Amino acid sequence: MAAGPPPPAQAAPRLSIIRDAEIESLLRAYVRPIFKVAGLHARAVKVHLVNNNAINAFVAGGQRIFVFTGMILEARTPNELTGVLAHEAAHIAAGHLVRRGIAVENMTVAAILTMLAAAGAVAAAGATGQGDLAEGGVGVMMGGQSMLRRGLLAYMRGQEAAADQAAARYLARAGQSGRGMLDLFRRMHQRQRLSLRGVDPYLLTHPLPRQ
């Protein structure tokens, strides 16, 4: 849920999962009405606590929601936490992880085809001594990879925006206020407006908080 530039390609850090029966029970009580209106089976969705100060939450491994302790400490009202959980529930209900995996596979195929075409151009240039053609082939590879990366990021931002909209609907159907989501986004905007100044919004995985 946190907005920021995509992380560099590296091994994913191991998450420090903690168990706290009282907090877990409280979170499930907050999100149970949301699961109902979202058409999710409450017992099938697992909520995990991550011992990390980052203001973040995410869905992974099917119907599993991970909430960072930093997010819990940041929330000023139960309604703010419920909004976060509604957002993650929307990802599960819409099957975003599966759809994202398919999109990545399709883009990978496109990237391979682009690189093969560019490699063919470079090889042809080497055989004919045409330097301009070789430069063009390298340009195709670099440009193609950049377009595919931007396309994937745009797809991810679209999913995040859709999850926000679905979360607002879930809250309304469950008879809960969406004010908590707005308040949280406003604070995130205030904190990140300096760090995100000058950052290309098309290179982010999430819409900007003010959006």
Side-chain angles (χ1 to χ4, degrees):
M1 185 156 184
Q10 58 184 14
R14 294 186 61 182
L15 298 178
S16 176
I17 304 298
I18 60 175
R19 297 302 308 270
D20 188 303
E22 184 176 356
I23 296 178
E24 291 173 5
S25 177
L26 195 61
L27 291 178
R28 295 194 69 83
Y30 290 163
V31 79
R32 193 173 293 114
I34 302 300
F35 287 160
K36 183 176 181 180
V37 297
L40 299 173
H41 296 289
R43 292 184 178 180
V45 182
K46 307 299 181 183
V47 180
H48 303 279
L49 299 176
V50 179
N51 187 22
N52 191 297
N53 289 329
I55 303 173
N56 198 10
F58 66 92
V59 172
Q63 301 189 48
R64 295 196 295 167
I65 297 176
F66 295 82
V67 182
F68 285 43
T69 51
M71 177 65 79
I72 295 174
L73 293 174
E74 172 65 24
R76 297 179 180 177
T77 66
N79 186 241
E80 290 187 2
L81 269 180
T82 303
V84 172
L85 293 167
H87 173 96
E88 304 307 332
H91 280 309
I92 296 175
H96 281 171
L97 288 182
V98 175
R99 294 172 183 269
R100 188 175 301 178
I102 294 173
V104 169
E105 289 181 1
N106 291 338
M107 290 181 181
T108 299
V109 171
I112 292 173
L113 293 176
T114 300
M115 291 184 67
L116 288 175
V122 172
T128 60
Q130 298 181 20
D132 291 343
L133 185 59
E135 291 181 4
V138 174
V140 168
M141 282 193 287
M142 295 179 63
Q145 291 176 356
S146 177
M147 288 181 61
L148 289 168
R149 181 167 181 258
R150 284 177 174 263
L152 177 59
L153 292 173
Y155 185 83
M156 294 172 68
R157 288 193 302 274
Q159 285 192 336
E160 295 299 331
D164 286 337
Q165 295 169 5
R169 292 195 301 270
Y170 295 161
L171 290 168
R173 292 173 185 171
Q176 301 191 40
S177 171
R179 182 181 179 86
M181 286 184 66
L182 292 176
D183 289 343
L184 182 59
F185 280 133
R186 287 193 184 103
R187 290 205 306 279
M188 290 174 65
H189 170 59
Q190 290 297 322
R191 292 181 180 181
Q192 296 180 358
R193 62 179 179 175
L194 293 179
S195 63
L196 292 178
R197 181 176 295 176
V199 174
D200 186 349
Y202 296 105
L203 295 180
L204 300 178
T205 58
H206 290 58
L208 294 171
R210 61 183 171 81
Q211 296 175 324

